[in-house]
Amino acid sequence: MNQDYIKPNPWSILEEGFDPENVKASESLFSIGNGAMGQRANFEEAYSGATFQGSYIAGVYYPDKTKVGWWKNGYPEYFAKVLNAPSWIGINVAINGEQLDLCKCKKVENFRRELNMKEGWLSRNFKATLKSGIEIQVDVKRFLSLELDEVGAISYGVTPLNQDVNILFEPYLDSSITNEDSNWDDKFWHTTKVSKSGQKAFIEAHTMKTKFHTCTFMESQFFLDGNPLKLKPVARKKPQFIALMYEQNVKQNETFTIHKFGGYTVDRNHPKNELIAYAKKTLAKASKLGFDQLLDLQKESWNAIWDMADITIDGDVKAQQGIRFNIFQLNQTYLGKDSRLNIGPKGFTGEKYGGSTYWDTEAYCIPFYMATKDQQVARNLLKYRYNHLEKAIENAEKLGFKNGAALYPMVTMNGEECHNEWEITFEEIHRNGAIAFAIFNYHRYTGDYSYIPEKGLEVLIAIARFWYQRANFSKEKKKYVILGVTGPNEYENNVNNNFYTNYIAQWCINYTLENIAIVEKEFSSDYNRISNKTKISNDELQQWKKVADNMYFPFSEEYNVYLQQDGFLDKELITVSNLDKSQRPINQKWSWDRILRSPYIKQADVLQGFYFFEEYFTREELERHFDFYEPFTVHESSLSPCVHSIQAAKLGRMDKAYQFYLRTSRLDLDDYNHEVEEGLHITSMAGTWMSIVEGFGGMRVKDNMLTFETKIPKQWKSYTFKVNFRNSIVKVNVSHNETSFNLQGDETITIIANNKSIKLAPNE
């Protein structure tokens, strides 16, 4: 049974009625972020029920020592934890001395929570009857500013409904936080100083081991029925905590409101001995603007994002809500301003998975950011991997590779591998291919070749060297094979000749050889610099080519399909439709031994290759492979439904494409995997965007031109999206009767739409 308490709405995520059972799920779903920090939607006031408290600062992590039963050579030393940071959102509220806690109230009525995606804010409203019989109305609004990205703002108003009362607001900062998932119960934070200055308070703390220095800060303003009040605080301090208490007598039906500004200054951006000074500057800007003006700027910032990134769907509110939720969360997680950052699989919504960077960024996220932002944002994501090249070479050396071969990490914060399951860390090496593919994809889409001679070719050479060394010649097969791997389907470990891994290895080598030739011919000074640095020789390149030309791909004559791996047909081939529903999801119901012996596929594997490299396969081949593999796919990875939706649309199977689209777009909203309380699936959300733009819109880049092959689900009346293609913005509007295109830009461009060549002139 999927959850269904989120109300359908085109622009908002809505929850009506208070149910303690939903609190942790809602804390994930209503999370807010601004690219620099983020937080789960925890209540500001005290809450004694089950809750998962979470505030996160971009780029701040802790290297939690790996916990394994048996140490293996090359094992990562640590698992990088996304760190629960000191909290600034807390406001204790007491009415006539009685603490407000929704778990302890006599009655909670008209509870309503809204995440307004159009304007970028979170609100909560409710009427509560306290044990004493006092009735109050509470209205809260909160946002993390895109304009001043070190600060967030809370407006918290309390109105007594049945008598005059004394209200105490106690805004506080707390650095005594812990992570839910510490391996050794280490202390992650060390608090160095707790201080106050007038209405402002500060906690300085740094992470253990990594020594990220932070200052958590707050300042408050007060209003009675909208009129400013000057209130003097009483401070309450503990070694890791500071609160400022404010009291006010409030008449029945008057509203007492606190505006609290809080946030972080971090030594990633400021000198560590000046964090309080910068916090004061930030607070001065925020309090001068005030809550309402800061909120107006927030609306403007989100309006600009939506102007480019929005996808509209007419006639299907759940589908519309789903895609906007995905686009909103992607923008809350990463805005492309800082090339040191990347897109973590949980963003700022939870701690699971650790690390901030997976192959998801290259495989799923870069297309979204290329098409909805300036190309510099995608270039920053590529630059991030270039900056980690030395670490990737070190990662490969730890496993015995030589000569500058690079293995990019499965999970990382700083380029160093920090994933601690051996079958993934050592064997899921196809991730290297996604990094090379992203370089190709960036050039194909933007037309900007300059990245390759400047930085990309060095990455490609190191990756090609890895593939050359990882393959070995099989005398029996008279081909090069790649043994002992885990493909994208993580329900098969330590298999031989995973088709996708072998295919992307061959492609990487050929693509690198092609680009070495181009750079040598057209960018000679870059070529000389790179060849001196990498010491490549013609002899080495010929050895690579021999491996690529003679790569082995398992194939079944009986089924006329490439096999996922050598032993796939040895399995008992029972399709998912014949699997008892009570056994799903198998990753929660079955032993690992049973999963590994089953034919069940977690996510697109062979079909991932058909998605990346579709120009090398015919439509008939795609159809054959889709019909063979999809019936064994359990879609228990968040990255699975989007690829299948795109391919089903390409094959004209619109009912299936639509079903997969709904699954990817509402994966978290409907909690398909029964785990949303742990956080959202951020990176797969980019796949939702691809399901519409590349699936239903059929957008591709072929021969340097934008092409579309549009389709529309029968459930929709129409849909629109925009893409920024080489600084020309193309708006696509698809209905059942026609597809229309509109160009915002200075120059006429030619596109191919449903096999027709069309000249698009600006604003026609």
Side-chain angles (χ1 to χ4, degrees):
M1 166 73 177
N2 293 329
Q3 71 186 20
D4 58 358
Y5 71 90
I6 299 298
K7 306 288 175 218
N9 181 287
W11 273 113
S12 288
I13 306 304
L14 296 171
E15 175 184 9
E16 290 172 357
F18 178 62
D19 182 349
E21 292 293 311
N22 294 335
V23 166
K24 283 167 92 168
S26 290
E27 286 171 343
S28 291
L29 292 169
F30 290 81
S31 292
I32 55 176
N34 65 2
M37 62 172 160
Q39 51 196 215
R40 290 170 61 82
N42 307 125
F43 298 160
E44 290 82 1
E45 76 277 359
Y47 183 68
S48 54
T51 172
F52 173 7
Q53 297 291 311
S55 298
Y56 308 99
I57 306 170
V60 172
Y61 67 95
Y62 177 85
D64 204 9
K65 186 167 164 46
T66 300
K67 196 166 198 173
V68 289
W70 174 36
W71 202 267
K72 298 175 182 68
N73 259 352
Y75 230 100
E77 292 293 319
Y78 65 87
F79 188 60
K81 290 285 156 69
V82 173
L83 265 200
N84 206 336
S87 173
W88 61 263
I89 68 159
I91 304 172
N92 287 321
V93 180
I95 319 293
N96 286 359
E98 183 180 350
Q99 188 176 52
L100 174 61
D101 176 344
L102 291 191
C103 239
K104 294 176 178 173
C105 291
K106 256 189 194 171
K107 205 191 299 181
V108 179
E109 299 168 272
N110 308 332
F111 181 94
R112 185 178 188 275
R113 187 169 1 201
E114 176 179 5
L115 182 63
N116 185 304
M117 300 181 289
K118 189 173 191 180
E119 299 179 348
W121 49 260
L122 166 67
S123 72
R124 198 164 45 103
N125 315 87
F126 58 88
K127 180 186 168 187
T129 306
L130 305 181
K131 280 186 175 159
S132 59
I134 296 170
E135 292 173 9
I136 55 169
Q137 172 65 31
V138 176
D139 299 284
V140 192
K141 188 171 278 185
R142 173 163 119 212
F143 61 93
L144 298 181
S145 173
L146 295 186
E147 182 70 19
L148 303 176
D149 66 8
E150 293 178 323
V151 79
I154 301 167
S155 171
Y156 196 109
V158 178
T159 310
L161 301 176
N162 63 346
Q163 65 183 78
D164 301 349
V165 296
N166 172 276
I167 297 178
L168 174 128
F169 282 142
E170 188 184 48
Y172 64 85
L173 306 174
D174 182 10
S175 66
S176 67
I177 30 70
T178 54
N179 262 46
E180 294 243 324
D181 64 345
S182 155
N183 284 344
W184 302 92
D185 296 325
D186 281 4
K187 217 173 99 177
F188 292 168
W189 288 94
H190 177 61
T191 303
T192 51
K193 191 178 176 189
V194 177
S195 60
K196 79 174 267 293
S197 168
Q199 308 281 5
K200 302 176 179 71
F202 310 94
I203 290 186
E204 290 177 277
H206 64 251
T207 57
M208 310 295 270
K209 295 186 185 175
T210 37
K211 295 286 189 284
F212 289 106
H213 288 256
T214 63
C215 172
T216 309
F217 56 80
M218 70 172 181
E219 181 174 8
S220 303
Q221 298 170 342
F222 298 89
F223 303 86
L224 192 61
D225 277 352
N227 300 310
L229 291 175
K230 287 263 186 277
L231 297 179
K232 277 220 162 101
V234 176
R236 185 163 70 90
K237 270 169 76 172
K238 290 191 274 187
Q240 297 166 305
F241 175 92
I242 183 164
L244 300 178
M245 290 185 279
Y246 302 86
E247 282 192 75
Q248 178 67 27
N249 292 321
V250 182
K251 291 192 164 63
Q252 185 177 342
N253 296 322
E254 281 185 336
T255 302
F256 182 37
T257 303
I258 176 174
H259 287 173
K260 179 179 181 181
F261 303 101
Y264 307 102
T265 47
V266 188
D267 70 345
R268 294 177 73 256
N269 306 316
H270 305 293
K272 66 182 171 205
N273 56 348
E274 293 177 40
L275 295 180
I276 284 188
Y278 278 96
K280 284 178 176 173
K281 281 182 194 168
T282 302
L283 283 170
K285 282 183 205 164
S287 53
K288 187 180 176 194
L289 285 165
F291 184 89
D292 294 336
Q293 216 179 322
L294 210 48
L295 182 59
D296 287 342
L297 290 170
Q298 182 80 343
K299 292 172 185 175
E300 283 171 30
S301 298
W302 274 104
N303 190 46
I305 289 171
W306 285 116
D307 181 55
M308 187 59 225
D310 192 24
I311 291 179
T312 69
I313 296 171
D314 186 18
D316 187 343
V317 176
K318 281 195 148 188
Q320 176 69 84
Q321 184 181 38
I323 186 60
R324 283 193 175 132
F325 181 65
N326 285 250
I327 293 168
F328 179 70
Q329 291 294 355
L330 283 161
N331 278 287
Q332 289 204 122
T333 303
Y334 183 80
L335 289 159
K337 293 178 187 174
D338 185 342
S339 64
R340 298 169 299 172
L341 298 175
N342 210 285
I343 305 131
K346 291 286 178 202
F348 298 118
T349 70
E351 296 159 21
K352 195 180 171 187
Y353 298 131
S356 71
T357 315
Y358 285 55
W359 70 290
D360 309 15
T361 293
E362 283 74 22
Y364 297 88
C365 299
I366 279 181
F368 168 79
Y369 287 99
M370 280 195 300
T372 65
K373 305 245 182 261
D374 185 274
Q375 70 184 46
Q376 188 59 42
V377 172
R379 197 180 166 114
N380 274 348
L381 288 168
L382 298 183
K383 187 176 154 197
Y384 176 93
R385 292 293 196 177
Y386 175 76
N387 291 341
H388 287 173
L389 178 57
E390 289 308 312
K391 288 275 191 205
I393 291 169
E394 279 175 32
N395 292 335
E397 282 171 351
K398 287 175 188 171
L399 304 185
F401 293 86
K402 301 180 180 74
N403 189 31
L407 176 58
Y408 275 90
M410 187 66 191
V411 178
T412 193
M413 280 289 190
N414 64 356
E416 203 172 359
E417 177 64 77
C418 64
H419 189 284
N420 57 11
E421 292 169 21
W422 69 271
E423 66 279 8
I424 306 294
T425 309
F426 302 152
E427 298 193 339
E428 200 166 329
I429 53 175
H430 67 79
R431 62 202 188 234
N432 244 14
I435 287 151
F437 183 80
I439 295 171
F440 158 77
N441 205 11
Y442 171 80
H443 170 233
R444 172 173 65 175
Y445 188 84
T446 65
D448 170 22
Y449 191 78
S450 70
Y451 179 77
I452 293 175
E454 281 173 30
K455 294 183 168 71
L457 188 57
E458 288 178 55
V459 172
L460 293 173
I461 288 168
I463 287 173
R465 281 175 163 160
F466 173 83
W467 289 124
Y468 165 70
Q469 293 176 40
R470 188 61 172 76
N472 63 275
F473 188 72
S474 160
K475 280 186 180 170
E476 189 208 353
K477 292 183 168 64
K478 298 186 174 51
K479 291 277 185 185
Y480 283 90
V481 295
I482 300 180
L483 309 176
V485 301
T486 298
N489 171 33
E490 291 169 344
Y491 290 173
E492 290 184 318
N493 300 150
N494 206 18
V495 298
N496 295 335
N497 298 308
N498 168 255
F499 167 79
Y500 173 74
T501 304
N502 288 22
Y503 196 92
I504 208 163
Q506 179 193 59
W507 177 87
C508 283
I509 291 173
N510 287 333
Y511 181 63
T512 305
L513 291 169
E514 181 190 315
N515 282 284
I516 288 171
I518 293 168
V519 173
E520 184 176 16
K521 190 176 168 192
E522 296 175 23
F523 301 87
S524 56
S525 65
D526 285 303
Y527 178 77
N528 291 333
R529 171 180 56 79
I530 293 164
S531 65
N532 286 334
K533 189 173 174 182
T534 59
K535 310 274 189 290
I536 45 170
S537 65
N538 278 334
D539 183 42
E540 183 182 3
L541 304 188
Q542 282 168 348
Q543 289 176 316
W544 293 359
K545 186 151 177 41
K546 192 175 161 193
V547 170
D549 288 349
N550 294 285
M551 187 64 76
Y552 168 72
F553 301 108
F555 188 82
S556 163
E557 301 293 344
E558 182 188 350
Y559 294 102
N560 200 14
V561 294
Y562 287 106
L563 290 177
Q564 192 163 278
Q565 44 90 5
D566 279 347
F568 192 78
L569 292 182
D570 294 334
K571 298 182 178 229
E572 203 176 345
L573 298 177
I574 299 166
T575 59
V576 175
S577 59
N578 291 309
L579 188 60
D580 190 329
K581 280 193 169 61
S582 69
Q583 301 294 297
R584 305 279 305 274
I586 63 170
N587 64 15
Q588 291 172 26
K589 301 289 175 74
W590 285 13
S591 70
W592 200 237
D593 168 74
R594 188 177 178 190
I595 288 172
L596 292 177
R597 288 184 286 110
S598 80
Y600 301 122
I601 302 170
K602 186 182 180 189
Q603 68 191 74
D605 192 307
V606 173
L607 293 177
Q608 182 74 33
F610 274 71
Y611 165 65
F612 270 175
F613 304 112
E614 67 175 14
E615 66 269 33
Y616 298 107
F617 300 102
T618 64
R619 188 194 153 99
E620 290 69 35
E621 283 177 304
L622 171 63
E623 190 156 35
R624 219 165 39 239
H625 285 79
F626 190 91
D627 288 342
F628 183 76
Y629 284 109
E630 198 284 320
F632 297 114
T633 307
V634 285
H635 304 290
E636 286 173 14
S637 160
S638 63
L639 299 171
S640 189
C642 58
V643 173
H644 288 87
S645 178
I646 293 164
Q647 290 174 331
K650 186 180 165 88
L651 294 171
R653 301 180 186 182
M654 291 305 288
D655 284 346
K656 214 166 186 64
Y658 174 75
Q659 181 192 334
F660 283 131
Y661 163 75
L662 264 195
R663 171 132 188 198
T664 179
S665 71
R666 298 192 63 87
L667 179 80
D668 290 317
L669 289 174
D670 295 339
D671 198 9
Y672 275 99
N673 293 347
H674 308 294
E675 59 182 16
V676 77
E677 64 181 44
E678 296 173 351
L680 306 177
H681 295 85
I682 301 296
T683 45
S684 73
M685 291 178 171
T688 302
W689 179 88
M690 297 191 315
S691 302
I692 294 183
V693 175
E694 297 181 10
F696 304 146
M699 185 191 85
R700 304 287 189 275
V701 179
K702 293 178 187 169
D703 304 323
N704 258 338
M705 289 167 77
L706 205 51
T707 73
F708 296 92
E709 200 176 309
T710 59
K711 299 180 171 73
I712 183 168
K714 64 175 186 281
Q715 292 84 349
W716 301 355
K717 292 177 187 166
S718 66
Y719 65 96
T720 70
F721 62 86
K722 279 183 188 176
V723 293
N724 179 358
F725 179 69
R726 304 184 182 180
N727 300 317
S728 293
I729 293 171
V730 179
K731 185 174 185 182
V732 185
N733 191 327
V734 184
S735 68
H736 289 279
N737 307 323
E738 63 171 26
T739 298
S740 63
F741 299 90
N742 181 280
L743 177 68
Q744 298 168 7
D746 304 324
E747 293 170 24
T748 298
I749 66 167
T750 302
I751 64 166
I752 307 287
N754 301 334
N755 299 318
K756 286 184 199 156
S757 178
I758 299 171
K759 269 200 162 54
L760 284 187
N763 304 314
E764 271 186 23

